[in-house]
Amino acid sequence: AEELRMGMAVPEQTPWGVATRKFAEDVASRTNGELTVNIYYNNELGDEQTMARQLARGRLDMAELSNVASSLLVPEYGLLQAPYIFDTSAQADCVTDSGLAAIFGDLFRAAGTVYLAPVDIGHMTIMSKSAILSPEDLEDVKIRTSPTQSDTYFIRAAGGAAVPLGTVDSMPALKTGQVSAVTTPIVVGVAGGYAAAAPQITRTNHGQQIGALLISAKRWVTLSEEHRQALTESARLMADLRPMLRQTENAMLDKVRASGGTVHDLSADELAAWQRFAPSVRAQLIAETGGLAAEKWAAIEAAKAACEVTGG
Amino acid sequence: MIWLLLLCIAALLVLRQSAIVILLFGTAFVHLVWGDGHLEYLIEDMWISLDNDLMLAIPMFLIAGNIMTRGSIARRLIRITTLLTDPLPGGLGVAAILSCALFAAISGSSPVTLLAVGAILYPALIENGYSKRFALGAITSGGTLGIIIPPSIPLIVYGLVTEQSIADLFVAGIGPGILLTIALAGYALWVNRKRPARPFQRAEFLRALREGIWALMLPVVLLGGIYSGYFSPTEAAAVGLAYGLLVEMFIHRELTLADFHRTIIDAAKMLGMLFPIIAVALSLKSVLTIERIPQEIAVWVTSMTDSPIAFLLAVNLLLLVVGCFLDVVSAIVILAPLLLAPALAYGIDPIHLGIIMVVNLEIGFLTPPIGLNLFVAMSVFREPFKEICLAVLPFILIIIAVLMLIVLIPQISLFLL
Amino acid sequence: MTRTVLLTLQRIEEAVASLAYITVAALLIGDVLGRELLGTSLLGAQKLAIYAAIVASFLGLSLATSAGAHLRPEIFDRLFSARHDRLVNRLSDLFAALFFAGMGMVAIHFVAQSAEFGDRAAIFYFPLWPIQLVMPYAFFSCAFRHLAYALHPELRPQGAPA
Ligand code: NA
Ligand code: NA
């Protein structure tokens, strides 16, 4: 039997761990056990940055990467994190499922990897010590942002004092008061224990975190046609992650409410106050990402339009 | 194959190669034979091990410690503690321990602490009629407080390989550090109880306090800054460096730009020796992880006993033995990932495990045949190796006793978290 | 002549390493001051600091070689009588020179791959290979030094391990 060594950042018991294990089981059953995917959770094979590079080099066979790490391979993929890129979640799902592979597949291939599937990670929210409902509440608040241009520029544009920090540093920073708020996907934030220090959750949904399931191109070309087929087919299962994730998000939010926290769902007007910073940040992102960013942005817009036509 | 490797290493030893060459060679061999067969992975691992936020803190703390030793911060701190302990019988002995503890709160390394305090207080102890054996033992073992009282380079390395929060590890070092200081100072007091006390010189003390206030503020700035959230441990290292530099150059005026340049070069060399060891250990760790060795060890260990206490005692025994032969950084990089998996299975707090490891390896600084503080003391105090080993013996016993408390009462480490 | 070359090399490496660490400190402190006083962080300051520190660390590797500072196990030193010391040390340096040159070649291979695959810095997306060139440089610098010591044993640092 052939073995594919695969790395990912999160633990086995998370929605991503569960979905990825199902993917691996499906690969095994489709190939009658001839091809096995051996998963290493929890950054065991190195952090995401390391996994991304080793994937291209062929040291690692497969990886499930966040948007931040995927954009080390393809900077243009980072555009997906642009604030309020999609109009509705139905549109987001439609573009994710039908469009991303076509838009970014060639760039990932050029970076030495094969794009098997998008991986939903969730929407960005703000978790804070005292409620942050509008951009005005953000004024002079030291807030952790993910160390990306999209998140950091957005928070800055909205008036916050952005402190870009990696995931590992976020909790200590909250605990010591280095920051009094964080931006984070819900599951990552609540599972990471942020709610103890930042029990106010505002669902700003200001960024879509879409990662990628990737296989090294060097490894891909050594696989038989049937095995490639099996991987591609099984990778579709990653779409099952979405309902699982939303369920987990709701469970997490209930948990926060039960322990005395507050979850703020924003009204359309409140949301609009945040959304007004999106266009300038997008323009800045496209300009600074360079490469094929403008072209890929147009492709994303086209995919959004196509999804509207098909009523997706 | 293992015999071929051992044979090669023996040949390299005969050929008088440095530890770096032997380590790199051995790791290259492992990659070729048991790994994926690519030598460039070793280079990649060297890059990866350095491409990490935490690796910034180590040179910054090293440079800061060197600056404060070269300038007069250390001297001024010692002046304060000696005047403070005058009214105690054997006050100077207590001052030696307290000075080490105080300097430990600004230095991340054990030999640096030993050097800074020893250069001034060892001659003073001898001059004031303290026995050579006590003086050697107190300074040499007091220096080890440098790595348990934060900041601490070994704690940074532990955080690096186990992905634990450095801020939490630093905070967890405070309780055990204070406990060890009290125990060692208590011993110093008891051994020298027949010595006459001196009257407290109030005016002198106030003057020393005034002259040393900037030095005294440094631990407050460093730890206060980390604890109250003004900066991360990595940033604290840079802030400490800048603070030390400004104070020594513009307030104490006892450090020149040329001195500063030398201290940086010294730190660069020290890191040039240190980082390949960390890189090699991380590289081997990646081979072990792929083979899932840590999990197998965890399964094997947990099948031996259900008791976390039994496990921890076994870990202590292992670390004490390892500490005799390995330096603290290598020991942490190699063993922490292997011990973490079973410790988690027993429900032991990873931060607690880190403190236990560092206190254990602190003892390793004092045990032959390889004990860094023994070597440093041997060369700076010009005393025979055996004499120093005997001198630190009672102190080792005290540290072991405190270690047992730290092992059995996790709250000593975790109460501030 | 060789002495002058070695010394010049050492001065340059020292200057660059020193500058690199000062840059690290400046970036980290700038980040703290910006955040605490001006309310704005420099995105990626820490990342840039890391790259400066990497350069300094690899130069430290070769500076430690030039100072003869690397730790060396001495257990088999008495295998040869003292009058063979000089010869053994020259062989030792020759071997170390070859070994580091070999590491340098592998490092070049690694950097070439990094350039080929377009390894990029996080946040800034600039290519990493120019910075990574410090790795082959440091190994070749070590190799050159050992070769010089093998050819001119009198240049060897005092009490230096190979
Ligand atoms: Na310390
Ligand atoms: Na030892």
Side-chain angles (χ1 to χ4, degrees):
Chain A
E2 277 189 275
E3 186 204 303
L4 296 171
R5 195 189 303 151
M6 166 163 174
M8 56 194 291
V10 296
E12 192 172 357
Q13 308 79 4
T14 58
W16 302 282
V18 173
T20 312
R21 202 179 55 235
K22 283 193 182 141
F23 157 77
E25 285 163 4
D26 197 60
V27 172
S29 82
R30 276 177 198 276
T31 60
N32 298 318
E34 283 174 30
L35 188 63
T36 55
V37 178
N38 204 345
I39 309 170
Y40 294 79
Y41 301 93
N42 248 338
N43 278 339
E44 282 173 23
L45 298 181
D47 59 17
E48 286 209 305
Q49 166 178 298
T50 302
M51 286 193 275
R53 291 184 187 140
Q54 294 191 342
L55 204 57
R57 208 162 279 141
R59 184 171 176 180
L60 181 61
D61 298 323
M62 293 184 72
E64 189 171 306
L65 300 177
S66 68
N67 186 276
V68 179
S70 311
S71 53
L72 278 177
L73 295 164
V74 177
E76 291 86 345
Y77 201 63
L79 291 177
L80 292 172
Q81 276 206 68
Y84 302 108
I85 182 170
F86 297 115
D87 306 322
T88 61
S89 60
Q91 186 193 54
D93 296 352
C94 169
V95 173
T96 305
D97 292 339
S98 62
L100 293 186
I103 299 173
F104 293 102
D106 52 346
L107 289 182
F108 276 103
R109 192 58 197 247
T113 57
V114 175
Y115 185 87
L116 290 176
V119 177
D120 262 274
I121 294 166
H123 288 94
M124 296 302 278
T125 54
I126 293 179
M127 294 179 72
S128 51
K129 290 189 198 291
S130 48
I132 295 176
L133 297 179
S134 68
E136 286 71 42
D137 297 333
L138 204 54
E139 201 174 330
D140 292 332
V141 170
K142 278 192 272 176
I143 172 169
R144 176 266 171 181
T145 56
S146 48
T148 58
Q149 295 177 332
S150 47
D151 199 38
T152 306
Y153 291 168
F154 176 71
I155 290 297
R156 238 175 234 172
V163 180
L165 293 172
T167 330
V168 185
D169 295 323
S170 303
M171 191 57 211
L174 257 183
K175 226 161 50 178
T176 59
Q178 187 185 347
V179 296
S180 56
V182 297
T183 66
T184 173
I186 294 174
V187 178
V188 177
V190 179
Y194 299 178
Q200 300 283 332
I201 302 185
T202 306
R203 304 193 69 176
T204 50
N205 289 348
H206 65 269
Q208 180 101 352
Q209 288 270 346
I210 301 173
L213 180 66
L214 300 167
I215 178 166
S216 168
K218 279 195 172 171
R219 193 70 173 90
W220 181 254
V221 297
T222 67
L223 296 176
S224 69
E225 190 52 48
E226 297 81 62
H227 285 178
R228 289 187 205 174
Q229 193 71 32
L231 282 169
T232 314
E233 291 293 329
S234 303
R236 289 185 212 281
L237 285 179
M238 293 310 289
D240 294 348
L241 181 59
R242 198 173 295 138
M244 208 181 341
L245 192 59
R246 287 188 187 154
Q247 210 178 352
T248 312
E249 280 179 352
N250 289 330
M252 291 276 183
L253 292 176
D254 287 341
K255 201 175 118 193
V256 171
R257 287 191 196 98
S259 57
T262 314
V263 179
H264 306 279
D265 283 299
L266 298 180
S267 69
D269 284 347
E270 286 172 321
L271 209 52
W274 292 96
Q275 285 169 334
R276 68 178 197 266
F277 303 106
S280 68
V281 174
R282 276 180 217 167
Q284 196 180 0
L285 268 183
I286 294 170
E288 293 200 11
T289 307
L292 295 175
E295 191 179 306
K296 294 298 171 190
W297 186 267
I300 295 171
E301 290 294 344
K304 279 161 66 178
C307 280
E308 293 308 314
V309 171
T310 58
Chain B
M1 272 313 189
I2 191 97
W3 290 108
L4 183 60
L5 176 60
L6 292 177
L7 199 69
C8 288
I9 289 175
L12 291 176
L13 285 170
V14 171
L15 250 182
R16 300 184 180 177
Q17 295 302 307
S18 65
I20 302 269
V21 169
I22 295 172
L23 280 172
L24 288 174
F25 180 90
T27 314
F29 188 96
V30 170
H31 271 290
L32 282 178
V33 174
W34 291 291
D36 294 325
H38 291 271
L39 275 182
E40 70 270 18
Y41 291 175
L42 174 57
I43 306 287
E44 186 185 21
D45 288 340
M46 294 184 89
W47 175 267
I48 294 170
S49 67
L50 283 172
D51 187 0
N52 190 312
D53 297 0
L54 299 178
M55 285 300 276
L56 284 176
I58 298 176
M60 292 294 105
F61 277 127
L62 276 175
I63 297 172
N66 285 349
I67 286 177
M68 293 176 279
T69 313
R70 235 173 235 258
S72 64
I73 285 182
R75 204 182 64 228
R76 288 165 200 248
L77 286 179
I78 289 167
R79 180 95 185 115
I80 296 173
T81 54
T82 48
L83 286 166
L84 188 67
T85 55
D86 267 348
L88 295 172
L92 202 56
V94 177
I97 301 295
L98 287 188
S99 298
C100 284
L102 206 51
F103 196 77
I106 51 182
S107 136
S109 115
S110 177
V112 168
T113 308
L114 159 60
L115 284 171
V117 177
I120 300 163
L121 274 188
Y122 180 70
L125 283 166
I126 301 295
E127 212 170 282
N128 283 280
Y130 285 75
S131 77
K132 189 183 266 178
R133 185 163 283 185
F134 169 79
L136 279 173
I139 302 270
T140 311
S141 44
T144 66
L145 291 172
I147 64 163
I148 184 70
I149 295 178
S152 155
I153 289 173
L155 282 177
I156 295 174
V157 173
Y158 177 84
L160 183 88
V161 292
T162 60
E163 295 179 352
Q164 296 300 315
S165 150
I166 307 298
D168 285 356
L169 284 165
F170 278 9
V171 169
I174 295 175
I178 291 175
L179 197 59
L180 275 168
T181 307
I182 293 173
L184 294 177
Y187 174 74
L189 199 62
W190 182 76
V191 170
N192 300 300
R193 62 191 178 282
K194 304 249 169 70
R195 280 178 194 287
R198 288 192 243 185
F200 181 62
Q201 302 165 272
R202 192 161 171 277
E204 253 322 88
F205 179 72
L206 287 178
R207 214 184 76 191
L209 212 52
R210 206 168 49 241
E211 285 172 359
I213 187 69
W214 292 98
L216 215 48
M217 284 307 287
L218 186 50
V220 179
V221 169
L222 267 185
L223 299 180
I226 296 174
Y227 200 49
S228 62
Y230 282 107
F231 30 80
S232 70
T234 303
E235 291 165 345
V239 170
L241 194 169
Y243 182 96
L245 189 66
L246 290 177
V247 168
E248 296 286 28
M249 282 183 85
F250 298 111
I251 296 177
H252 298 165
R253 296 170 184 273
E254 300 201 28
L255 189 87
T256 62
L257 267 181
D259 288 337
F260 178 48
H261 180 67
R262 286 315 322 160
T263 59
I264 295 187
I265 303 303
D266 287 346
K269 278 184 217 157
M270 210 176 311
L271 211 72
M273 289 151 50
L274 190 64
F275 95 81
I277 297 174
I278 297 180
V280 158
L282 284 173
S283 197
L284 290 177
K285 180 192 153 199
S286 74
V287 176
L288 291 179
T289 311
I290 287 170
E291 302 300 331
R292 302 206 193 264
I293 306 277
Q295 284 97 325
E296 281 171 27
I297 291 180
V299 169
W300 177 73
V301 172
T302 41
S303 73
M304 307 282 283
T305 169
D306 289 334
S307 153
I309 299 289
F311 166 73
L312 280 179
L313 291 177
V315 165
N316 280 294
L317 210 58
L318 170 76
L319 289 171
L320 287 176
V321 173
V322 166
C324 290
F325 300 99
L326 271 186
D327 80 281
V328 56
V329 169
S330 322
I332 287 178
V333 182
I334 295 167
L335 289 176
L338 295 180
L339 292 177
L340 186 66
L344 289 176
Y346 283 115
I348 293 163
D349 191 300
I351 301 283
H352 186 209
L353 179 71
I355 298 297
I356 292 174
M357 286 197 77
V358 169
V359 176
N360 259 295
L361 296 167
E362 202 185 324
I363 297 169
F365 274 122
L366 303 174
T367 52
I370 313 270
L372 195 51
N373 277 23
L374 299 176
F375 296 149
V376 173
M378 190 169 76
S379 65
V380 289
F381 305 137
R382 304 188 182 283
E383 290 295 333
F385 190 64
K386 194 176 138 226
E387 179 59 29
I388 298 172
C389 291
L390 288 174
V392 298
L393 196 60
F395 293 90
I396 292 182
L397 295 178
I398 292 170
I399 301 178
I400 291 182
V402 176
L403 171 65
M404 284 305 114
L405 289 178
I406 293 170
V407 168
L408 296 174
I409 312 172
Q411 283 311 313
I412 295 175
S413 315
L414 305 177
F415 77 105
L416 281 173
L417 289 176
Chain C
M1 172 62 194
T2 316
R3 185 187 300 273
T4 319
V5 173
L6 286 181
L7 205 63
T8 312
L9 198 63
Q10 185 187 335
R11 292 282 172 267
I12 295 174
E13 288 176 356
E14 284 179 352
V16 176
S18 199
L19 202 65
Y21 276 139
I22 291 171
T23 310
V24 172
L27 282 167
L28 291 175
I29 293 164
D31 202 18
V32 175
L33 293 180
R35 183 179 66 230
E36 301 301 334
L37 301 180
L38 310 174
T40 175
S41 272
L42 311 165
L43 178 60
Q46 197 131 318
K47 203 73 217 172
L48 291 180
I50 288 173
Y51 295 129
I54 292 180
V55 169
S57 303
F58 272 94
L59 293 177
L61 180 72
S62 76
L63 286 172
T65 302
S66 78
H70 288 301
L71 301 172
R72 187 175 70 83
E74 300 175 353
I75 54 173
F76 289 151
D77 276 17
R78 298 206 189 132
L79 222 54
F80 302 101
S81 62
R83 65 200 167 88
H84 292 123
D85 257 3
R86 213 176 139 87
L87 179 67
V88 178
N89 281 345
R90 291 182 82 163
L91 281 175
S92 165
D93 276 320
L94 189 64
F95 177 86
L98 288 173
F99 179 83
F100 278 116
M103 287 294 289
M105 300 298 291
V106 180
I108 286 187
H109 181 59
F110 170 78
V111 178
Q113 277 198 339
S114 166
E116 182 194 338
F117 293 115
D119 283 4
R120 279 174 252 253
I123 303 165
F124 304 101
Y125 300 131
F126 58 74
L128 285 177
W129 65 265
I131 301 174
Q132 290 172 332
L133 281 175
V134 74
M135 297 193 283
Y137 169 80
F139 288 127
F140 282 122
S141 171
C142 290
F144 174 69
R145 284 207 167 87
H146 283 295
L147 187 65
Y149 303 153
L151 296 176
H152 306 278
E154 70 281 4
L155 295 179
R156 208 163 195 262
Q158 278 297 308

